């Protein structure tokens, strides 16, 4: 499903089967994409017995799943890998014949030597470039080539011209949505039965918790040191209450006490209040000046015309004021003055549509003018601290280790 890194997801019910108790949730996640891909590829190839199969990138998730599947079918497996430690892992998994997955020429020479003049009966390919042609060169005329890669995939015509063998391209991202009933009955339910019978095992994995280790997981992946799969675990807290058991009355008392203390801490509250009144007069003066020569019929958009009507109803101040007057009364209103001065001077242009109001608020995409209004303005700091006090008081009343879900409701700023 989409958005899998979440505690709850919605998906097609046909793509779900019950997890056998013999396997953990972490181990099960390593098999959904890997084993299922391998199973479909092996069903198509119809290889059994002592046939010779080449699986590229055998130390990866699909490759490890394929190596176990091949051992179950008693196939003679040839694998490719990069780092020496990955070759060692493959030998521990029973893959005795390995070659390089970094250089196609070296890979072809090594595999040809190990085959001793014989040809491959099947190829499960996920590599690109020269590895494809090298694999075809080692494939018997009646062999099968299963392509599961995404890059440089050969066309059917090109593959037929290379070797008269069976060639198919497997893309589960397309096949599963096209026929979910087939995927459930022929793939997922088969996986569940084989897990229950302990025929299939989870891949080697390293798990990281999403709450504190998600960044470490991606760093570990980018370092290329992983063998098998990296699993991100999401804590599931069964039986946890869906709401906070917080009494409203005590919370109100705590907030009242905080507000009283915060108001007393505003030693310049009278000056701030007066400065807001001066700012109101300065803005009303700018609005009147912006609308004085504006023709309402020239305003193109209906919602801009509504804004014009609202602005036109505002009476000009009897005593005009400037933004310098505002800062003279209280310099702490600099955030409001900076943003208001820029927007008020361009009000007519914004109504006519010649200037985008987004550009007025966020010039060049910058938050330089807007962010101080949210963080440094006297009013914003006061109410932000009230929110912090409320959250702190709620958290203080909860038991240690309680999981909280935080929902942000906003418009993007």
């Amino acid at each position: 499903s989409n958005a899998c890194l979440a505690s709850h997801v919605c998906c097609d019910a046909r793509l779900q089967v019950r997890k056998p108790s013999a396997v953990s949730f972490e181990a099960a996640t390593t098999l959904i994409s890997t084993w299922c891909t391998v199973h479909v590829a092996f069903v198509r190839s119809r290889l059994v017995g002592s046939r010779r199969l080449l699986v590229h990138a055998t130390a990866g998730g699909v490759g490890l799943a394929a190596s176990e599947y091949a051992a179950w079918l008693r196939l003679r497996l040839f694998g490719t890998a990069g780092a020496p430690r990955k070759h060692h892992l493959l030998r521990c998994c029973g893959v005795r014949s390995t070659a390089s997955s970094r250089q196609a020429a070296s890979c072809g020479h090594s595999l040809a030597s190990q085959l001793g003049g014989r040809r491959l009966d099947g190829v499960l390919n996920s590599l690109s470039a020269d590895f494809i042609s090298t694999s075809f060169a080692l494939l018997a005329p009646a062999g099968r080539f299963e392509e599961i890669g995404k890059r440089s995939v050969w066309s059917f015509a090109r593959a037929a011209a290379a070797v008269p063998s069976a060639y198919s391209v497997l893309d589960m991202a397309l096949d599963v949505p096209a026929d979910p009933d087939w995927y459930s009955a022929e793939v997922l339910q088969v996986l569940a039965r084989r897990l229950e019978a302990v025929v299939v095992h989870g891949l080697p994995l390293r798990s990281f918790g999403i709450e504190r280790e998600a960044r470490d997981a991606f760093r570990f992946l980018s370092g290329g040191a992983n063998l098998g799969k990296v699993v991100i675990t999401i804590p599931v807290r069964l039986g946890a209450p869906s709401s906070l058991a917080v009494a409203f009355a005590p919370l109100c008392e705590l907030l009242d006490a905080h507000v009283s203390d915060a108001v007393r801490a505003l030693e310049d509250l009278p000056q701030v209040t007066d400065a807001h009144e001066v700012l109101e007069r300065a803005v009303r003066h700018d609005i009147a000046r912006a609308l004085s020569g504006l023709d309402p019929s020239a305003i193109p958009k209906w919602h801009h015309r509504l804004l014009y009507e609202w602005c036109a109803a505002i009476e000009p101040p009897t005593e005009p004021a400037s933004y310098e007057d505002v800062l003279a009364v209280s310099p702490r209103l600099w955030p409001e003055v900076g943003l208001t001065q820029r927007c008020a001077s361009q009000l007519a242009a914004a109504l006519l549509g010649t200037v985008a109001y987004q550009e007025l608020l966020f010039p060049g995409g910058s938050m330089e003018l807007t962010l101080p209004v949210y963080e440094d303005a006297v009013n914003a700091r006061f109410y932000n601290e009230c929110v912090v006090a409320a959250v702190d008081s709620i958290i203080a009343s909860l038991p240690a280790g309680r999981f909280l879900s935080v929902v942000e409701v906003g418009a993007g700023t």
Side-chain angles (χ1 to χ4, degrees):
S1 66
N2 295 323
C4 293
L5 291 180
S7 58
H8 298 79
V9 296
C10 295
C11 68
D12 192 327
R14 294 172 294 179
L15 303 181
Q16 300 180 67
V17 294
R18 184 175 294 276
K19 179 188 72 66
S21 58
V23 63
S24 67
F25 283 100
E26 291 81 0
T29 62
T30 67
L31 298 170
I32 299 300
S33 61
T34 56
W35 186 92
C36 293
T37 300
V38 169
H39 174 69
V40 176
F42 274 75
V43 169
R44 290 182 179 181
S45 65
R46 301 174 183 173
L47 295 178
V48 293
S50 58
R51 299 294 183 90
R52 292 172 292 275
L53 172 68
L54 169 61
V55 175
H56 280 299
T58 324
V62 171
L64 291 173
S67 65
E68 183 183 56
Y69 208 122
W72 183 59
L73 294 176
R74 301 184 181 277
L75 298 174
R76 170 73 188 280
L77 184 62
F78 296 80
T80 63
R85 67 178 182 279
K86 295 187 177 181
H87 286 265
H88 175 71
L89 171 66
L90 296 183
R91 292 188 177 92
C92 293
C93 294
V95 183
R96 301 303 176 190
S97 303
T98 62
S100 173
S101 63
R102 294 179 176 175
Q103 294 182 345
S106 173
C107 174
H109 183 273
S110 176
L111 289 174
S113 176
Q114 296 178 64
L115 284 167
R118 295 180 294 273
R119 295 294 187 93
L120 295 168
D121 298 298
V123 174
L124 182 60
N125 179 63
S126 57
L127 302 182
S128 59
D130 291 341
F131 283 96
I132 299 178
S133 55
T134 298
S135 301
F136 268 114
L138 296 170
L139 188 63
R144 297 192 63 90
F145 193 105
E146 295 290 335
E147 176 63 79
I148 62 172
K150 302 293 185 182
R151 298 174 54 197
S152 305
V153 176
W154 281 20
S155 66
F156 288 97
R158 185 179 181 183
V163 176
S165 57
Y167 174 71
S168 65
V169 178
L170 175 59
D171 190 346
M172 298 295 281
L174 298 177
D175 294 345
V176 174
D179 195 349
D181 292 321
W182 158 80
Y183 181 68
S184 175
E186 303 297 331
V187 183
L188 280 182
Q189 293 182 31
V190 174
L191 172 59
R193 290 195 296 269
R194 293 189 185 177
L195 283 171
E196 194 70 56
V198 199
V199 174
V200 177
H201 303 84
L203 302 180
L205 65 91
R206 180 168 176 179
S207 61
F208 296 83
I210 193 172
E211 294 177 328
R212 299 179 180 177
E213 300 175 318
R215 182 176 298 178
D216 296 334
F218 288 102
R219 285 176 177 169
F220 181 67
L221 273 174
S222 63
N226 63 297
L227 296 172
K229 284 292 184 179
V230 171
V231 177
I232 294 181
T233 59
I234 300 174
V236 178
R237 294 167 175 84
L238 300 176
S242 58
S243 60
L244 297 175
V246 177
F248 187 64
L251 177 60
C252 288
E253 293 178 3
L254 289 170
L255 281 177
D256 286 342
H258 168 78
V259 170
S260 298
D261 294 340
V263 170
R264 282 194 296 269
L266 290 173
E267 298 178 353
D268 61 342
L269 182 58
Q271 291 87 345
V272 171
T273 303
D274 293 342
H276 274 103
E277 294 178 357
V278 178
L279 178 62
E280 174 76 12
R281 288 192 283 122
V283 171
R284 289 165 56 192
H285 175 69
D286 270 357
I287 290 176
R289 186 170 56 181
L291 302 187
S292 60
L294 183 62
D295 180 8
S297 62
I299 300 176
K301 296 183 178 180
W302 67 269
H303 55 285
H304 287 183
R305 291 194 291 271
L306 288 178
L307 179 58
Y308 170 83
E309 293 175 3
W310 180 80
C311 291
I314 298 176
E315 295 183 1
T318 55
E319 297 182 17
S322 68
Y323 297 106
E324 290 77 11
D325 296 335
V326 178
L327 297 178
V329 178
S330 177
R332 295 182 65 186
L333 261 69
W334 68 267
E336 294 95 324
V337 167
L339 183 62
T340 304
Q341 191 170 13
R342 174 177 172 82
C343 295
S345 64
Q346 297 290 326
L347 176 59
L351 291 173
L352 292 172
T354 57
V355 173
Y357 45 83
Q358 296 93 333
E359 182 62 24
L360 295 177
L361 294 172
F362 312 103
S366 170
M367 293 281 291
E368 181 179 356
L369 289 174
T370 311
L371 196 59
V373 176
Y374 287 93
E375 293 186 347
D376 301 315
V378 177
N379 288 357
R381 291 181 66 89
F382 181 87
Y383 289 110
N384 287 342
E385 290 171 1
C386 287
V387 173
V388 172
V391 174
D392 280 345
S393 62
I394 292 173
I395 293 176
S397 67
L398 299 176
R402 171 66 190 270
F403 183 76
L404 294 178
S405 295
V406 180
V407 180
E408 168 69 28
V409 181
T413 51

